[in-house]
């Protein structure tokens, strides 16, 4: 009987421990790359489709600025083609994992995972930061950019995001609020949003809070402020105020990139931008030699400069990408596929004039 007990114990021990081999790191994957096992507990994860093991793939960098509303599927495909078929990570503060199934149907990737990073504790979690760092593509969902600033700025999540942007150079994008924080200059919305009429009437309204290169550091966007839902929410006037306010606050005059809903600006690794989708994107080029004539608290803005205050290039999107604009130098001579305008502000009213000479 004693021998039977010893044999039974040995059989159980071998079954439990001898057969529970762990997959070693560096296992080759079909199609190239290697897999690395990941921890079973994934803080902040609200859903994953695909392989939970990390895969390392070569990436081809690029940026997507999406204007909100209906997502532009071809812009996601543009990013995914640059991901090498690796791991796609969606980050957000609120909402669901709905992007997982949306992205997964577009092209084959190792995995699609959504992280809901809604506390600073999660934003400082090493595992969360490592999931981000291991991504071959990252996308910031819409929401409230003040939440992103409040919860992610100054954390390990911020460092991981900037690692993707600056070092790994993985394809990276954002929509709506996710787009708003990708410019070096950004409107925080921490005191609420601001509409064009309000901003043009008083450029120093208390809800116009702008920040200068203290969060994300995307290639080609250091001297850019973005705006989104542009035509749908009539934000053209407020973006002109943002340009003037940044000059007033920081003595710097940025460029602007504004994107309407159902539209995306896709920027390749060399800074060449095309516009995908069904509406338009706008490239705003103010001139430091032609500054606002009136920019005072509680006074309507005046920025006329003989009706040639700010050059604006409008590109209407298409399914396969339309137009070209070089963000590496913001050259007016290289731009093609769009239309030039002069935008001016006369006593708080925005005026758009087609530029027939450019």
């Amino acid at each position: 009987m004693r021998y039977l007990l010893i044999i039974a114990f040995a059989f159980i021990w071998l079954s439990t421990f001898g057969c529970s081999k762990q997959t070693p790191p560096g296992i080759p994957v079909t199609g190239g790359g290697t897999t690395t096992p990941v921890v079973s507990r994934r803080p902040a994860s609200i859903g994953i489709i695909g392989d939970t093991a990390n895969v390392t793939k070569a990436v081809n960098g690029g940026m997507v600025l999406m204007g909100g509303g209906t997502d532009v599927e071809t812009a996601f495909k543009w990013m995914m083609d640059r991901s090498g078929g690796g791991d796609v990570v969606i980050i957000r503060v609120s909402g669901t994992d709905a992007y997982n199934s949306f992205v997964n149907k577009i092209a084959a990737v190792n995995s699609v995972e959504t992280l809901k990073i809604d506390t600073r504790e999660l934003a400082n979690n090493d595992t969360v930061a490592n999931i981000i760092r291991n991504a071959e593509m990252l996308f910031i969902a819409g929401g409230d950019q003040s939440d992103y600033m409040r919860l992610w700025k100054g954390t390990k999540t911020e460092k991981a995001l900037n690692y993707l942007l600056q070092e790994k150079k993985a394809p990276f994008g954002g929509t709506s609020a996710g787009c708003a924080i990708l410019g070096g200059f950004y409107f925080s919305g921490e005191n609420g949003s601001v509409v064009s009429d309000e901003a043009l009437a008083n450029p120093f309204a208390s809800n116009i809070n702008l920040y200068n290169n203290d969060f994300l550091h995307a290639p080609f966007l250091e001297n850019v402020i973005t705006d989104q839902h542009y035509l749908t929410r009539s934000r053209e006037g407020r973006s002109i105020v943002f340009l003037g306010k940044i000059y007033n606050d920081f003595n710097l005059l940025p460029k602007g990139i504004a994107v309407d809903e159902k539209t995306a600006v896709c920027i390749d690794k060399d800074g060449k931008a095309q516009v995908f989708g069904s509406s338009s994107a706008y490239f705003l080029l103010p001139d430091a030699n032609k500054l606002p004539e009136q920019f005072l608290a509680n006074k309507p803005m005046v920025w006329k400069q003989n009706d040639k205050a700010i050059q604006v290039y409008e590109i209407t999107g298409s399914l396969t990408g339309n137009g070209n604009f070089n963000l590496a130098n913001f050259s007016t001579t290289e731009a093609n596929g769009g239309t030039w305008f002069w935008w001016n502000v006369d006593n708080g009213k925005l005026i758009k004039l087609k530029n027939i000479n450019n």
Side-chain angles (χ1 to χ4, degrees), residues 190-213:
E190 62 197 281
N191 292 324
S193 190
V194 61
V195 298
S196 289
D197 287 348
E198 177 186 6
L200 289 167
N202 178 16
F204 289 82
S206 61
N207 51 350
I208 303 177
N209 302 105
L210 302 169
Y211 289 81
N212 177 6
N213 284 280

Side-chain angles (χ1 to χ4, degrees), residues 272-275 283 313 315 322-326 331 334-338:
K272 304 292 179 61
Q274 286 189 299
V275 180
F283 301 85
Y313 197 60
I315 299 177
N322 185 47
N324 285 281
F325 199 94
N326 190 348
S331 169
E334 292 183 39
N336 64 77

Side-chain angles (χ1 to χ4, degrees), residues 252-312:
L252 295 166
L253 192 59
K255 305 294 192 291
I257 301 176
V259 195
D260 194 26
E261 293 185 1
K262 304 178 184 179
T263 308
V265 175
C266 295
I267 309 161
D268 72 15
K269 61 183 178 61
D270 298 316
K272 304 292 179 61
Q274 286 189 299
V275 180
F276 289 71
S278 58
S279 190
S280 296
Y282 299 81
F283 301 85
L284 285 64
L285 287 72
D287 185 340
N289 295 314
K290 298 192 293 185
L291 297 172
E293 290 92 337
Q294 178 168 286
F295 199 83
L296 300 169
N298 301 309
K299 297 284 187 180
M301 184 183 193
V302 177
W303 197 349
K304 283 182 62 66
Q305 295 294 344
N306 296 316
D307 294 329
K308 294 183 177 181
I310 300 168
Q311 278 191 299
V312 177

Side-chain angles (χ1 to χ4, degrees), residues 238-250:
R238 82 170 195 174
S239 65
I240 300 300
V241 172
F242 290 169
L243 296 175
K245 188 73 160 52
I246 289 169
Y247 183 80
N248 181 86
D249 292 355
F250 305 110

Side-chain angles (χ1 to χ4, degrees), residues 128-158:
V128 171
N130 284 333
I131 292 172
I132 292 171
R133 292 171 70 91
N134 287 335
E136 276 73 41
M137 170 184 149
L138 187 130
F139 190 76
I140 306 175
D144 185 336
Q145 64 259 38
S146 67
D147 287 336
Y148 304 159
M149 183 183 74
R150 176 174 54 89
L151 296 172
W152 301 346
K153 191 162 75 170
T155 68
K156 292 177 181 178
T157 286
E158 180 197 335

